Amino acid sequence: ARPVLGDLSVTSLNPSSMQLQWSVPKDSFDSFMLQYRDAQGQPQALPIDGGSRSVTVPGLSPSRRYRFHLYGLRGGKRIDHVSIDVIVAAEQPEELPLPSEEPQDEKRQTESPASKAPLVQAVLGELRVSSVTPNSAQLQWSVPEGSFDSFTLQYRNAQGQPQALPIDGGSRSVTVLGLSPSRRYRFHLYGLRGRKKIDHVSTEAVTGKGE
């Protein structure tokens, strides 16, 4: 039976990354390949495991239109494909402290005692590696107490350049793409409330060997 790909859709979007998802309504594929051109016009190809139905694409440029092509493969052969056009979110303004975060005088402090009420402390559970390939790693975590508005995953790429991947506050896993084979990476996950880092956990992962 010939496997079929369902629609490719966007499930989350921010200025530097997006998450895409798809379905396979008929049969199955050995693997997938996501192709697109980066901000410099260079072709990018991201291999994806055949059991996956979503992928996070990092390293995008704000307010830019991208065209993504998802191919379903069987035995290295392209069987079906779907495409989608997406415009990345605009860059957020530079982070500046809000006026309410800067106490102006003692009088203002005494007039608003409610502002001193502490929030329930949010806590991050262990960050662990659930799967690795030669060029990707999937990480999972929990939030046993409280909640976060968002997360940021930080690590250094094979060239030693710092990378920061913003993640929605409801997420509990992320797939990091574009890694290099047989390399050790150290990942730091920060839980944020507003723009403030509340808690963080770290882990290390070694990517699989290349072919």
Side-chain angles (χ1 to χ4, degrees):
R2 181 186 175 88
V4 175
L5 273 170
D7 286 342
L8 185 60
S9 61
V10 180
T11 54
S12 68
L13 191 62
N14 62 56
S16 60
S17 71
M18 70 176 63
Q19 188 173 43
L20 302 172
Q21 74 172 21
W22 60 94
S23 62
V24 181
K26 186 179 177 183
D27 213 341
S28 63
F29 294 95
D30 296 339
S31 62
F32 302 99
M33 179 73 72
L34 185 74
Q35 294 188 349
Y36 66 100
R37 290 184 180 273
D38 63 18
Q40 290 72 47
Q42 298 301 308
Q44 302 292 319
L46 304 178
I48 305 164
D49 180 79
S52 298
R53 295 294 181 267
S54 69
V55 65
T56 299
V57 187
L60 305 180
S61 296
S63 305
R64 186 176 182 89
R65 180 186 295 274
Y66 290 86
R67 185 164 180 78
F68 296 96
H69 306 278
L70 181 73
Y71 295 89
L73 285 74
R74 263 243 187 117
K77 187 176 181 181
R78 294 176 179 177
I79 303 296
D80 196 12
H81 102 276
V82 286
S83 300
I84 190 174
D85 283 333
V86 186
I87 297 177
V88 181
E91 185 69 83
Q92 298 297 316
E94 183 180 355
E95 290 190 4
L96 297 172
L98 299 172
S100 61
E101 293 176 359
E102 304 177 84
Q104 295 176 2
D105 53 43
E106 288 302 315
K107 183 181 178 184
R108 176 169 181 149
Q109 287 292 299
T110 55
E111 284 178 351
S112 54
S115 66
K116 294 183 179 180
L119 286 166
V120 175
Q121 178 69 31
V123 175
L124 272 171
E126 181 186 4
L127 180 64
R128 62 188 185 86
V129 182
S130 55
S131 66
V132 292
T133 72
N135 53 20
S136 72
Q138 186 173 48
L139 306 173
Q140 292 184 342
W141 62 93
S142 62
V143 181
E145 187 178 339
S147 63
F148 296 96
D149 296 336
S150 63
F151 304 98
T152 296
L153 185 74
Q154 294 186 351
Y155 64 100
R156 290 183 180 272
N157 64 15
Q159 290 73 44
Q161 300 298 313
Q163 305 290 313
L165 183 59
I167 305 165
D168 181 80
S171 297
R172 296 294 181 268
S173 69
V174 66
T175 300
V176 186
L177 301 168
L179 305 181
S180 295
S182 304
R183 187 177 182 90
R184 181 181 296 276
Y185 289 86
R186 185 160 182 79
F187 297 98
H188 307 277
L189 181 74
Y190 294 88
L192 284 74
R193 273 254 184 96
R195 295 170 178 172
K196 190 174 181 182
K197 292 176 178 176
I198 303 295
D199 195 12
H200 103 273
V201 286
S202 300
T203 192
E204 291 188 352
V206 178
T207 48
K209 294 181 179 180
E211 291 183 5

